[in-house]
Amino acid sequence: MPKPSPERPDLLTRRVAIAAAAAVALAPAAASGQAASAETFAAAERAILAGREPAAAGLSIEMPQLSENGNAVDIAVRIDSPMSAEDHVARIHILAEKNPFPRIATFHIGPQAGRADVATRIRLAETQTIVVLAETSRGVVHRGSREVIVILGACVDGG
Amino acid sequence: MASATLPARITMPAEARRSEIVEIRVLARHPMERAIDAPGLRPVARKIIHTLRVTQEGQELFRIELSPGIAANPYVAFTTRAERSGELVFEWIEDGGVTYERRQSLTVT
C-alpha cells in the first residue's frame, strides 16, 4: 500500500476510490467468467454418455487412495479391449467431481495404440471422486471411479 | 507454424520389433498456469498446454486434450504399436497458439 501523504490527502482518497471502483468492476466479470467456463460435473458426464448406459466392468484405475499433495496426483487407466479396427477404445475421459473444471483430460487413442493403457498426473482441489469414462468404437462406454483423499488441495481458484 | 523449443523428456525405445507395443512417456517442463482472478490476488492469465499430439508421417498416433486440472510439468504416458520405422513428431500446443515440437526416431526391425 502507498504511504499516506499528509500534504495530499485528496490523492490518497482518489487512489482508494479508483481501487474500490476497479474491484467492483472486476468482481462481476470474474464471476461471470467463471460461470461461463464451469461446466458442472454432472453435465460433463451426461454430455459424454449422451444417453448411453455405462458398463461398470472392464476399466481399472490406478491411483493412490490418499494423496498428500493435490497439486500432482498420479493416475493410470487401463481398459480391457481387443484394440482391433472394429472394437477399440477411442476416447478416455478423466473427470473430477469437485474441481472447478470437472473435465481434466481426454485421451484420443485407436487400434494403433495396441493397448488401452494411459497415464498422467492431475491436480485435485479436495477429497473427491474421480470418474473415468472410456468410449469404444462400438458405442459402449466403460465407467470406473475412485475416491481419493487429498490432504493438501491444489489451490485452484486462489480461495 | 511456430516451433519453439520446450524442455521435455521423451522416454521410448529407439528400436522395436514389428508389431511390438511400445510405451511412450512424455514429461514437459511447463507451469500450466491457471487463470487467477480471485479478489486480493494479482490476476494471472491462463496459459496451459491444451493439446499434445503425436503423429508419424502425418498419421495421428495419439492425442490428449489437457485442462487446468493437469499438474504443472505435464506428464503423459501411452502406448503405440511399432509398425514402421520413422520419426514420431510430438507437438505441444499452448494457449495463444504457440506450438512446440520435438522429434524422436523409432527403428522397427
Side-chain angles (χ1 to χ4, degrees), chain A residues 26 29-30 34 71-74 82-83 99 101 103-124 154-159, chain B residues 21-23 27 31-38 41 43 46 48 59-82:
Chain A
L26 273 174
Q34 200 76 319
N71 280 304
V73 184
D74 282 310
M83 294 305 278
N99 270 18
F101 297 89
R103 283 189 201 229
I104 296 187
T106 300
F107 298 79
H108 298 261
I109 60 172
Q112 76 283 351
R115 272 202 314 256
D117 193 355
V118 297
T120 188
R121 221 166 266 161
I122 64 177
R123 286 170 172 151
L124 294 177
C155 189
V156 176
D157 53 11
Chain B
I21 297 170
V22 297
E23 191 184 359
L27 181 66
M32 296 292 277
E33 199 67 72
R34 294 163 289 194
I36 296 174
D37 57 7
L41 293 177
R46 182 184 119 149
I48 67 165
Q59 192 208 333
E60 187 176 288
L61 299 181
F62 174 81
R63 180 162 53 96
I64 178 169
E65 285 149 29
L66 307 164
S67 77
I70 293 289
N73 302 328
Y75 167 78
V76 176
F78 62 97
T79 57
T80 194
R81 198 185 288 276

Side-chain angles (χ1 to χ4, degrees), chain B:
Chain B
M1 192 180 71
S3 185
T5 56
L6 178 76
R9 189 161 66 216
I10 298 167
T11 309
M12 59 179 271
E15 270 185 38
R17 289 186 310 280
R18 187 170 302 277
S19 292
E20 186 186 338
I21 297 170
V22 297
E23 191 184 359
I24 301 176
R25 299 199 299 267
V26 185
L27 181 66
R29 191 183 298 168
H30 192 280
M32 296 292 277
E33 199 67 72
R34 294 163 289 194
I36 296 174
D37 57 7
L41 293 177
R42 191 165 46 88
V44 174
R46 182 184 119 149
K47 196 170 198 183
I48 67 165
I49 286 170
H50 60 75
T51 304
L52 165 63
R53 187 170 55 213
V54 184
T55 55
Q56 186 178 20
E57 292 165 18
Q59 192 208 333
E60 187 176 288
L61 299 181
F62 174 81
R63 180 162 53 96
I64 178 169
E65 285 149 29
L66 307 164
S67 77
I70 293 289
N73 302 328
Y75 167 78
V76 176
F78 62 97
T79 57
T80 194
R81 198 185 288 276
E83 295 295 1
R84 56 187 183 279
S85 297
E87 272 189 335
L88 269 62
V89 181
F90 295 76
E91 286 171 291
W92 293 263
I93 310 170
E94 190 179 62
D95 283 344
V98 175
T99 302
Y100 302 96
E101 190 187 295
R102 276 276 295 276
R103 287 162 186 263
Q104 195 90 4
S105 70
L106 177 69
T107 306
V108 176
T109 56

